[in-house]
Amino acid sequence: MHLPQHVSEEETFAMASYENSNDDWWESVPCHFIWDLGEKVTVHFRSVKTNLDSKLETRKEVNWSDSACDLLLFRGFLEVSDFDGVQRDFCKAEQFFQEADKEAMNTTDELERNAYVTVAAANRLWALRKKTTGLDEVTPDEQVRLLNVLEDSWKKYQDDSESREKINAYIDTVAAFALSRLGVLKYKEAERRYRHAMKVLGQSVKSSWCQSLGMLIGRQSQHAAGPLPQYSEIENEVRYYKKALRIDPHNESARCDLALALGMIPDRVQEANEILQQVDGKYCEIFVKKARFFRRQGEYEKCLGVLKEGERLASLTVNYYHQFAAVYRDLSKIAHRKGDFQVRHEYLEKEEQYLDICLKIDPMNFGALSDKAFLYRRREHFQDAKNLCMHIIGEFESSPFNLLSAKYRYAKLILFINRQCMNETSANAFEDVINTACSILSTMGPLGDDTVDNRNVLDSKKLLEQYYQTNGEAQKLRYLQNRTSSVGF
């Protein structure tokens, strides 16, 4: 361990005690730094940070009943993680860890409190280790103090197997929260941890865990089956939202999620409407979920009414304005089909207005950036569309699935500009999609047989095969087929 310059004899003694007396046993204590959170991440870390900060900003408004320790601990970890693009901020990380400590002290269940204190202390020790490798000064006394805190909490119940199992279950929920924010390849592990924790903790299960589990089940199925699926797991998703509401009948966010899930089943839409009518919450997350429900049902006036009602709130999120943009996108398509091009133009203008607001709040919001590129395409501003697509590709180089999606959209844009005729330029763009997909498959595993990403890659492959056959490029055709088949396409 690096010793800072100009330390006193007392500090040197404290550091030596820290280094030699415990044999670094604490490195195996479960916390964010040993959960391999940086592997197979499919989302951009800045988007994760923005979403978490938004939740923290609206805590009082939402009136959370469950602890926010899982969120605060993960948020602190992000500040000192190894994710691509992170500029480490140890002071900011420490602030989040300290806030998590304070939150833990308000927890009435001693075992739950012990779990949060343990993860917080372990996280802070790892952060201090990273800081010392950067040659920043660290007070040895602080490391010794944290080690003592961790030892007290982690070893307190080492001879009580039942209590130890419950503490580990609470820690599992902290891990599950983090995993659930890192993209589709992490969802299965997050689901497994939530299920195990709920099995162990029984009557101590929290409403937010059941809601999160329902959302994880839904996201995995939707990723596999498309935007509005009739997927087999929907009853499982519904079951956990109902369980969340039995535990906490005031969890209006879970009530909205229940309505959204039921709204995907044609013969249960009326039931979903009745459930949504029970929601009285007047905060941003509720307005967003209500608007999403009505937009999915094609009830655009109700959707706009909900969003306009929310405009008087002091704090509005990217997701709120993105719903506004999505409504006007849908309405512009309807106007186009009707041949009402003046109305279509007005809707496109409004869509762009709300996308710009999204990007002012979060310039790296992938959904808003992608939608704006597609908006440029629909308005036939092709150079703007190409420029924005290339900007997205450059910015999301470290986010594999976003990168793959952006490259496919760019290739389709080039094909559209060329009146759906393949040429060398569009072929090069689709080859880039294939190369990116093969790179992802070689490091992250299969995309899934019926995922949007898989269908996009298969579409790219089909277009290239037709182009090579038409142009008599047998060598390129064989290379494409051999390469894609070697990774599962």
Side-chain angles (χ1 to χ4, degrees):
M1 179 174 292
H2 168 74
L3 276 172
Q5 297 178 345
H6 311 302
V7 296
S8 66
E9 288 185 21
E10 292 80 9
E11 288 174 322
T12 304
F13 176 77
M15 180 68 82
S17 300
Y18 167 73
E19 289 182 328
N20 301 324
S21 62
N22 294 284
D23 297 325
D24 290 340
W25 61 268
W26 61 271
E27 292 181 5
S28 61
V29 175
C31 72
H32 294 77
F33 288 90
I34 70 170
W35 286 328
D36 296 327
L37 297 179
E39 295 183 3
K40 297 187 177 181
V41 174
T42 60
V43 294
H44 200 284
F45 91 96
R46 275 179 284 188
S47 298
V48 178
K49 285 173 63 173
T50 300
N51 288 335
L52 294 177
D53 288 342
S54 176
K55 285 185 174 294
L56 285 171
E57 287 171 7
T58 57
R59 281 180 70 191
K60 292 181 180 178
E61 176 188 286
V62 177
N63 193 25
W64 282 358
S65 58
D66 292 346
S67 168
C69 283
D70 48 8
L71 192 160
L72 292 164
L73 289 166
F74 182 44
R75 186 62 185 84
F77 165 75
L78 287 177
E79 291 296 335
V80 289
S81 68
D82 294 324
F83 293 148
D84 288 336
V86 171
Q87 294 182 338
R88 289 177 180 162
D89 189 333
F90 292 97
C91 290
K92 199 167 184 181
E94 179 64 13
Q95 289 172 6
F96 283 115
F97 293 148
Q98 287 182 6
E99 194 173 344
D101 266 338
K102 292 177 183 176
E103 185 100 1
M105 293 303 107
N106 295 325
T107 303
T108 56
D109 187 299
E110 184 179 348
L111 299 181
E112 182 183 4
R113 181 169 62 251
N114 179 285
Y116 296 146
V117 169
T118 295
V119 178
N123 273 353
R124 293 167 81 179
L125 280 165
W126 278 103
L128 284 175
R129 169 170 286 189
K130 284 180 174 286
K131 193 173 184 182
T132 57
T133 59
L135 304 184
D136 293 304
E137 283 201 16
V138 176
T139 306
D141 288 343
E142 175 63 6
Q143 300 185 58
V144 173
R145 186 191 69 79
L146 285 172
L147 189 61
N148 289 335
V149 170
L150 182 58
E151 187 166 16
D152 287 345
S153 63
W154 183 239
K155 296 184 177 181
K156 184 175 181 180
Y157 295 97
Q158 63 182 356
D159 297 325
D160 182 346
S161 59
E162 184 178 349
S163 295
R164 169 59 60 196
E165 185 180 24
K166 289 182 178 179
I167 290 169
N168 285 332
Y170 280 117
I171 291 175
D172 264 343
T173 67
V174 176
F177 178 92
L179 290 161
S180 69
R181 266 68 185 175
L182 295 175
V184 67
L185 296 183
K186 298 287 192 182
Y187 290 166
K188 184 56 69 178
E189 176 62 10
E191 179 186 345
R192 185 192 70 78
R193 287 182 181 257
Y194 271 129
R195 286 185 185 276
H196 176 260
M198 291 164 65
K199 181 179 179 181
V200 171
L201 293 170
Q203 296 300 313
S204 298
V205 167
K206 296 182 181 297
S207 176
S208 60
W209 303 345
C210 297
Q211 182 183 1
S212 294
L213 184 51
M215 291 172 69
L216 283 167
I217 293 168
R219 285 174 185 172
Q220 289 176 85
S221 298
Q222 289 177 54
H223 177 77
L228 288 179
Q230 286 234 57
Y231 51 86
S232 60
E233 287 290 329
I234 195 164
E235 290 298 340
N236 234 347
E237 182 183 359
V238 165
R239 181 162 64 90
Y240 281 105
Y241 293 145
K242 288 183 175 180
K243 186 171 182 179
L245 289 166
R246 284 197 300 271
I247 295 170
D248 179 8
H250 302 294
N251 186 343
E252 296 208 309
S253 176
R255 200 177 304 281
C256 286
D257 288 337
L258 175 60
L260 282 163
L262 291 173
M264 295 181 186
I265 306 172
D267 60 359
R268 301 188 73 176
V269 172
Q270 183 57 40
E271 179 186 354
N273 266 293
E274 291 170 0
I275 289 169
L276 204 65
Q277 288 174 11
Q278 300 169 21
V279 178
D280 296 322
K282 304 294 183 184
Y283 50 91
C284 187
E285 181 184 355
I286 295 299
F287 286 121
V288 169
K289 289 183 176 183
K290 280 186 169 182
R292 184 177 294 131
F293 175 86
F294 289 126
R295 184 170 67 84
R296 285 181 177 178
Q297 303 305 324
E299 298 186 61
Y300 296 111
E301 286 189 16
K302 285 186 178 180
C303 180
L304 287 172
V306 166
L307 290 171
K308 288 175 180 177
E309 184 183 357
E311 282 185 308
R312 58 174 177 261
L313 294 177
S315 178
L316 294 172
T317 65
V318 170
N319 289 336
Y320 173 84
Y321 291 111
H322 207 171
Q323 281 299 311
F324 252 128
V327 175
Y328 286 117
R329 180 184 65 234
D330 291 352
L331 290 173
S332 72
K333 291 178 181 178
I334 293 170
H336 182 78
R337 288 196 295 269
K338 291 178 176 179
D340 197 339
F341 298 112
Q342 179 58 39
V343 172
R344 174 181 181 268
H345 175 76
E346 292 171 3
Y347 287 145
L348 290 173
E349 289 282 341
K350 289 184 177 181
E351 180 188 354
E352 184 169 11
Q353 172 192 338
Y354 284 107
L355 287 175
D356 285 342
I357 296 173
C358 292
L359 294 171
K360 185 176 181 180
I361 298 171
D362 179 11
M364 288 296 295
N365 187 282
F366 181 79
L369 285 168
S370 299
D371 285 350
K372 188 161 185 182
F374 188 56
L375 173 68
Y376 283 145
R377 169 181 153 173
R378 284 181 286 132
R379 300 184 75 174
E380 299 187 357
H381 297 174
F382 294 135
Q383 191 58 50
D384 288 334
K386 288 169 67 175
N387 291 343
L388 185 51
C389 282
M390 294 308 298
H391 170 74
I392 297 168
I393 289 169
E395 289 292 337
F396 287 86
E397 193 73 37
S398 62
S399 180
F401 285 87
N402 285 340
L403 180 64
L404 180 61
S405 174
K407 287 187 174 182
Y408 177 74
R409 283 174 178 248
Y410 176 72
K412 293 292 279 188
L413 170 66
I414 299 302
L415 186 62
F416 181 82
I417 294 171
N418 202 42
R419 299 181 182 276
Q420 304 299 334
C421 294
M422 286 285 282
N423 60 12
E424 185 177 355
T425 303
S426 54
N428 288 340
F430 283 110
E431 286 168 357
D432 196 19
V433 174
I434 295 294
N435 290 336
T436 301
C438 290
S439 176
I440 292 173
L441 284 165
S442 65
T443 57
M444 294 191 172
L447 299 175
D449 290 340
D450 195 31
T451 64
V452 174
D453 299 303
N454 192 73
R455 292 196 296 274
N456 290 347
V457 176
L458 289 175
D459 180 48
S460 301
K461 179 184 177 183
K462 180 180 178 181
L463 289 167
L464 285 171
E465 286 175 334
Q466 292 172 346
Y467 177 71
Y468 294 150
Q469 288 169 349
T470 301
N471 288 274
E473 299 187 63
Q475 186 175 351
K476 283 189 174 182
L477 178 61
R478 283 195 302 273
Y479 177 77
L480 170 68
Q481 292 173 337
N482 289 338
R483 188 171 187 205
T484 52
S485 64
S486 70
V487 291
F489 282 114

